[in-house]
Amino acid sequence: MMKYIIELILSIGKVDRRWIFLVIGLAVLLPLFFPLGLPIRATTATQRVYDAVEELEPNSKVLVSFEYGPSTKPEIHPMAIAILRHLFTNSQKVYVTCLWPDGQFMAEDALTEIAEEEYGLTYGEDYVLLGFRPGNEAVVKGLVSNIRKLYTTDARGTLVDQIPMMANVNKVKDFDFIFSASAGYPGTIEWVQYAADPTGVPMSTGTTSIQVNDVMPYVQSGQVKGILAGMPGAAEYEALIGSPGIGTSGMDAQSIAHLVIVLFIVFGNITYFIETRRAKKY
Amino acid sequence: MLWKRQIPILIATVVGLLTLFGWFIDNPGIESFVNDDATQWFDILASFAIFLGALNLMKLQGRKVLKQHSGWQYSLFAIGGFIFAIVAGFIYKGNDAVAWGVHVTSKGTLFKWMFDFIFTPLSATMFALLAFFVASASYRAFRVRNLEATLLLVSGMIIMVGRVPLGSSISSWFIMYLLVLVGSVAANIKFQDKIITFGVLLGGVVIVTIWGSLAGWPVDQPSIFYLPMLQDWIYNNPNVAGARAIMIGIGLGIFATSIRYILGVEKSYIGE
Amino acid sequence: MVIGAWISVFLTLAILSYLYKDNPFYKVAEHVFVGISTGYWTSMFFWTQIQPNLFGRLWPATEYDASSLWYKFYNLFGVFSSVFPEGGIAKGHDMHLIYLVPFALGIMMLLSVSSKLSWMARWGIAYTVGMAAGLRAYGFLNSNVLGQIKGSAFQIFNSDLPYFALVGESITNNFVILIGTITGLMYFYFSREHTGNFGRLTKVGIYFLMISFGASFGFAVMGRISLLIGRFVDLMHYSSSAYNNATLWILLIMVLLLGYSAFMDKGRPVESPVNDRTD
């Protein structure tokens, strides 16, 4: 009986990888059709971001920077939207910049969906899209010294001097908070190194899961106040602000897929142990 | 040879020294060069490098089509895609309300249409393919051969399960029972004695059950076995230590390599 | 809109079909990706870097003077009115003729596409390498080395902190990070053999590094799965009747065609994708 089970395990261990692809594909697809509704619990890192935003006085000036593109949109767009929702609910003034060119497309989509359609806010008084400027960290450095040198007009072509909410905003130090939704270079690290650290303006960030470990040391040392890590981080933030969105709907699929991969690792190692013990015997 | 070898090395040395010492020299001319112009020139040259890459690519694909090497028909698609993108970028705007230049970041243009319906699905799906390969590798390649590999896989698994909602639904008592099972398997491998194995298993189960009943089976206590808490600790402490060591190591390495380039010791960029 | 949806679905499914085996759908999508992304980045970099920052500084609108030789030269290019608009380029810059230097280096780079002149690219590359070396040397030393060391330092006998806490700061946690960082760094010191007491410390170091790599692996998996979820959500969105059920039709056609080719290939060995890429 034992032998039969062992033989079965070994034969499954050598299965064609296309069956593995099918299993993982189904593990991701099925929960999207049949959601499980698992409860989402925020981690300390996400809670710290929430607290940092919650602590801001109403009508604070918040700089939100979009540096991600379509290939990382599923991870970062939900958190950008959740942050915008939180800021607009608390009546903050939002200034949007982009260090990536495709970030501007993402910013426009997010602002149209949230600021215009959901909250019905006025452009130029409650939020403004300054847009993309090329130059990577040079843009961050430029914002720290003089915004108007970099931005003579906003993304829609209006002169910055004519935008009401840009009055008295000349450099990064005039902002009360910075949030960077970042997927790589340039992104969070540039904001920390050239803006938040030198000026002392508090900052938070949301990044792709892959980038999290690169940014962790800054979070741990307090230079960045908490971090939203990938789609799970976005879902946790949506749970904290009480409006589930795209991040939450993907969580069940994420949970099941992770469980399947852990089971794959465990099963693969069981086969490995059986094989090595057999090899030792003979 | 002067043009091909000495002058590039001289350029690298002079420019490198200028930008490095530019951080420390108080001369306004040099400061403005280092802060503004140097990065700008870098970006401009990077753009020309992209154009060079595009020209090389078209040269290669064109040669494939002309000489009819195997798979030349697919090269037609590559060339066609490139021409379409160039047309969208330079020739046909699609939205006359927008000026040339900003049309690459404006809505309603052919460029944006191409970005939304061709570029985005292609790049996003290419990345997404890796999810399948990671799953396949987890099954077929990740093996616990020694303590280091065990640490890697265990910490990876704890992070993977602890970070998602499923992890907060798994009770810490379930984990404790799992550990008792793993312990008895390890005892079996080590001592090869059925009595010891059975003793470890039974003893473990009894202890956990009594403890659990006394505590009332709370989901998140004892917290060291509750996956989200354990994951949080690993994420914030040993993980940060390792990441920091790597960051410092990389920082020192980059500094050393930069000095080598500036001093002309490292000449790999000219192909030597 | 609908045509775009059908194209998007076709390209997504074509790339996913690689999982079954390398097939013409995948090859077509791959080559289209190569062509489109090259063209996309070329256009993007030209319009966001070269035209405003290079040409905008060589021929700015602020100093436009139709009678000068320099601007007469500009007006010759005016036939490309999209790139060289009437009256100079207005991007808020002044004239900096020194930008002829990167322009010349850039042209040399482009000329290197011909094999006889390939050495010309070295000048531009040498500039890039030298500049990056100078800037990064200071930047990385400051923030990655000194900044991180500063972050690792903590008050050992800080009575505000608890001795042990699973969540949040504690004295034990700070010690763990400090010991982990130092032993991890020791591991990278290869000028001395890892034996004896030093060897034991480096072994501890590598354990910390392995935990960190394991966490990175967990996050990498998380990221990739999130991207896959994003693609599936898009495919589901495009399967609705507003897009004429694009996903379902294209999926059906692809499955039929691939199934047919697999049936015809029976007897010949099937080539399944060989590399287990996990980056």
Side-chain angles (χ1 to χ4, degrees), chain C residues 183 194-205:
Chain C
T183 50
H194 290 183
T195 50
N197 282 327
F198 186 67
R200 277 187 212 107
L201 286 171
T202 56
K203 236 192 159 57
V204 172

Side-chain angles (χ1 to χ4, degrees), chain A residues 17-18 21 25 28 32 44 71 74-75 101 132 134 137 193 209-210 213 217-218 220 231-232 250 254 257-258 261, chain C residues 19-20 44 48-49 136 143-144 148 167 177 212 216 219 221-227 229-230 232 273 275-276:
Chain A
R17 62 201 232 141
R18 287 176 290 184
F21 294 156
V28 171
L32 289 174
T44 44
S71 47
E75 285 193 275
F132 162 70
E137 59 261 19
Q193 286 178 351
S209 307
I210 306 219
N213 250 1
Y218 298 111
Q220 208 279 337
M231 207 198 253
Q254 188 101 38
H258 282 200
I261 291 189
Chain C
L19 295 167
Y20 175 62
M44 192 53 97
T48 55
Q49 288 289 356
R136 308 273 189 243
S143 54
N144 278 30
Q148 289 304 315
V167 177
I177 296 180
S212 185
S216 294
F219 282 117
V221 169
M222 197 187 295
R224 301 297 174 212
I225 299 282
S226 300
L227 293 180
I229 292 173
F232 280 167
N275 350 316
D276 251 339

Side-chain angles (χ1 to χ4, degrees), chain C residues 70-123:
Chain C
W70 187 234
Y71 278 96
K72 282 211 176 78
F73 196 52
Y74 174 80
N75 286 327
L76 275 175
F77 291 127
V79 67
F80 298 112
S81 61
S82 51
V83 180
F84 301 104
E86 192 75 42
I89 299 176
K91 291 287 174 183
H93 296 306
D94 297 327
M95 189 180 290
H96 293 274
L97 281 175
I98 198 169
Y99 274 71
L100 282 171
V101 174
F103 191 29
L105 286 174
I107 298 290
M108 285 176 77
M109 243 192 195
L110 290 182
L111 287 174
S112 73
V113 79
S114 115
S115 30
K116 278 212 190 89
L117 297 171
S118 64
W119 61 269
M120 281 192 153
R122 289 182 186 183
W123 288 33

Side-chain angles (χ1 to χ4, degrees), chain C residues 31-46:
Chain C
H31 281 79
V32 167
F33 184 38
V34 163
I36 291 268
S37 53
T38 313
Y40 171 80
W41 288 116
T42 304
S43 308
M44 192 53 97
F45 274 95
F46 181 83

Side-chain angles (χ1 to χ4, degrees), chain A residues 7 15 20 45-46 54 60 77 87 100 108 111-112 132 136 144 146-147 173 186 192 213 223 258 264 267 271:
Chain A
E7 290 302 322
V15 79
I20 303 172
T46 312
E54 209 36 35
S60 298
H77 207 61
L87 289 170
W100 289 29
E108 274 169 8
L111 286 171
T112 316
F132 162 70
N136 305 332
V144 169
N146 186 352
I147 294 185
K173 224 161 179 222
V192 174
N213 250 1
Q223 291 161 292
H258 282 200
F264 277 165
F267 194 80
T271 358

